[in-house]
Amino acid sequence: MQPVIIVHHHEITLKGDNRGFFEKQLRRNVRLAIADLVPSSTVVSGGYGRFVIDLPSNISIEVIADRLTTVFGLSNVCIGVRVQQDVEEFTGAAGQLLEGETFRTIRVDTRRPDKNFPVRSMEVNARVGEYLCKRFGVRANLTAPDETIFIEIVNGAAYVYRSKLKGAGGLPVGASGRVVSLISAGFDSPVASWMLMKRGGTVVFVHFHSMPYTSERSIDQVRQLVESLTRYQFSSKLYLVPFAEIQQEIVLQSPQPLRVILYRRMMLRIAESLAHREKAEALVTGESVGQVASQTLRNIRAINAVATLPVLRPLSGTDKEETIAVARMIGTYDISKEPYDDCCSFLAPRKPETWATIEEVENAEKKLDIHSIITRALGRVTLEHFSFPHVTETNALELQPN
Ligand code: ATP
Ligand code: MG
């Protein structure tokens, strides 16, 4: 009996002609998620929408399984064993998996995509079930059993397991292309970024900071957020854009109530320029309709007007509480809850405009040399790389004897 983890593909089983592409991306991601724990060659196709991973004896199964529960594109993660296609082997394996457990009722759930195996699923359920009932002195219960034994007969092998963890769902990261996400140290934008990863996007991060007027600590908070989100996409880029000078110029030249709208329009323009460099398909923000003054529908419209790429706002219809629940689940809550200086509360207007027209905003911008502002900011951008897990790279040296 070889200990294995079986993972089932989620939505990609529905993807028709593109299925091969999605599967390739998913297998790459499964391998990356556990790259520091098992050699990539141990992750193989198990046939019919599943991968099987042979487990080395020296590593905790729970650690590997836990990593796999954050891989987008998997519906579940099952810990069990591989056996030969033989009912005796199924009963033996099931008996071993249940040894020492306390339960009163059981169900056996068999799937048989491999029709070369002659015994039908119902019959396997009945025979294995009967054996287990006798051996453990329990009863069968098909609707609400204390324990379920799953058997999968597929591609010349069979897998038996009793524990099934819920997978992350969604689509494999990378399968949908790239997006550039505007990330701050708050609760919303990390959640919005995660949602795009869940839909198969590779997220490139951009953060605008107001150093030296705000502290390095708020940038560190963004770095921590990116590091924590990198768990879901394995490697990340973070562009840091100096924004203080731009804000000062806007403060000097423009009506106070419009400041935040003008900041946001500058952010979008710069982010879009980085998006072109990154060959990204869209921008992402954490905006939620009506949450603050800059996020009224009319102001979103005035801000959005400078973008030519789609600006995705996955949180546009969510309440703060719902966003915070996701932040807790994905591990960004504890980082975002720390106080930070926001580049936009610094130099924020006392009475912000809540219903700006595009005309009035464009008029205000006439005093600014937008091209030169953007060029200067882009010239001072820094780029940081993050990766998960932290694998030391080994290069093979093809040395020749002297
Ligand atoms: P968050 O919790 O993401 O900060 P928020 O509800 O506080 O969002 P705002 O601060 O008004 O809202 O920002 C709206 C959106 O603009 C953010 O979700 C983010 O996408 C983007 N944004 C705001 N500040 C920055 C920044 N300093 N750098 C990059 N993007 C930013
Ligand atoms: Mg914010």
Side-chain angles (χ1 to χ4, degrees), residues 184 186 264 340 342:
S184 74
R264 290 278 185 268
Y340 58 92
D342 188 351

